[in-house]
Amino acid sequence: MGRTVPAAATVTPGQFITGALWNAQVAALNSFLTAAPVFTGYASTSQSIAGSNAMVALNLDTETLDVDAGHSTVTNTSRYTPTVPGLYLVFGSVGWPNTTAGDRRLQIGLNGGGVIGSGASFDPANAVTSGMQTSAFVTCNGTTDYIEVMAAQASGGAINTSAGASIFTASMRVLWISR
C-alpha cells in the first residue's frame, strides 16, 4: 500500500491551530518530506545485450537505498514501482566494454515503453570502456506504473554491460519531486 502525500495546512481566519491540526497537516507533511520516496540501485553482474538494436530493460540486483520498497532484488529486478503518485526525476546509466562495433543506446522506460526525450546514443570510435547516462521526468500513478532503464546496441553480436560497484555500472536513481 502506497503512502499519501499529506496536504499542506489550511485554516480559516480566526481558527485556532490546535495540536490535532498541527499533527495532521504540518507535522505529517514535514515527516513525509524528510523521508520522500527515493531509490538507488545497480547491477552487480553483467548482462548480455543482443546486437539487434532492440531495447532491453537492465536488471538491477543490488539496492543501496529504497525508502518505499518500490524495487525487488528477486522479482522484476529491472523495475522500480513508485508507491506514491507524482512526478519523479529518474537517472539511468550503463557501461559498455571496449569495442568499436555498432551503435549504443540508452533510455528511461515507463511501463515497458520509452519516455519521450530520454534517449541517449553514441557510436564508439575508440576501443575504450565507456559509460552513458540519461535522465527524464516521469509521472507515475503510485500503484501500477513502473520505471526502467533500457539499453540497446547494434554490434551484430551480444555484448555484456559493465557491472559491479564502478562508475560504469548499469544503475538507476529515482527521486520523488512533487505530486
Side-chain angles (χ1 to χ4, degrees), residues 136-170:
F137 285 106
V138 179
T139 300
C140 296
N141 62 18
T143 54
T144 58
D145 287 338
Y146 63 91
I147 303 166
E148 296 175 302
V149 176
M150 305 170 86
Q153 57 92 12
S155 69
I159 295 178
N160 286 342
T161 61
S162 298
S166 81
I167 61 171
F168 295 119
T169 298

Side-chain angles (χ1 to χ4, degrees), residues 9 33 65 88 119:
L33 292 175
L65 181 62
Y88 288 80

Side-chain angles (χ1 to χ4, degrees), residues 5-24:
V5 181
T10 56
V11 294
T12 57
Q15 181 182 6
F16 292 105
I17 298 178
T18 63
L21 176 65
W22 182 267
N23 287 332

